[in-house]
């Protein structure tokens, strides 16, 4: 059975509660966004649960831990992965979940703290 054909349990991290189960046609990774029952959530963690059957462990289900979030309007591609915000700023966290410490909610374009990242060779 393929991981993406299994039911995925969606669990809210704070307060900890199960939001329900969903059949996904993609494998959610931390940093991805999920629209579930009319709300948007950021995926923080993914856990696989196994079950012993016939002397072998088999993937039984997948649980993703999420938090409420707004889908970011600004993204940058860095080393083959998408990060939130303008990656050319020295304050950018280069994270799929968090933009930066000084202006985490953005936007980057009008941020008074923007400082061009200096590249050294």
């Amino acid at each position: 059975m393929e991981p993406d054909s299994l039911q995925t349990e969606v669990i809210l991290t704070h307060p900890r509660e199960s939001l329900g189960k969903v059949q996904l046609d993609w494998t959610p990774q931390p940093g991805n966004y999920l629209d579930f029952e009319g709300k948007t959530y950021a995926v923080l963690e993914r856990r696989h649960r196994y079950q012993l059957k016939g002397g072998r462990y088999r993937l039984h289900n997948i649980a993703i831990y999420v938090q409420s979030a707004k889908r970011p309007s600004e993204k940058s591609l860095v080393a083959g992965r998408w990060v939130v915000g303008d990656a050319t700023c020295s304050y950018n966290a280069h994270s799929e979940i968090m933009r930066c410490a000084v202006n985490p909610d953005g936007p980057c374009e009008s941020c008074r703290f923007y400082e061009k990242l200096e590249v050294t060779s």
Side-chain angles (χ1 to χ4, degrees), residues 1-8 24 26-28 48 59 61-62:
M1 193 177 287
E2 294 297 314
D4 59 2
S5 66
L6 292 174
Q7 275 199 344
T8 301
L24 298 175
W26 56 285
T27 305
H48 295 165
L59 186 58
N61 68 13
I62 299 170

Side-chain angles (χ1 to χ4, degrees), residues 5 27 29 58 60 69 93 109 115:
S5 66
T27 305
Q29 299 289 338
R58 296 176 190 239
H60 179 65
E109 81 179 34
E115 199 172 284

Side-chain angles (χ1 to χ4, degrees), residues 1-2 11 23 33 48-49 67 70 77 88 112:
M1 193 177 287
E2 294 297 314
I11 302 169
Q23 198 84 17
Y33 290 87
H48 295 165
R49 296 180 179 154
Q67 73 179 16
K70 285 191 270 179
L77 189 61
T88 64
R112 66 186 177 109

Side-chain angles (χ1 to χ4, degrees), residues 104-117:
D105 296 327
C108 292
E109 81 179 34
S110 60
C111 178
R112 66 186 177 109
F113 298 104
Y114 177 82
E115 199 172 284
K116 182 98 169 140
L117 184 65

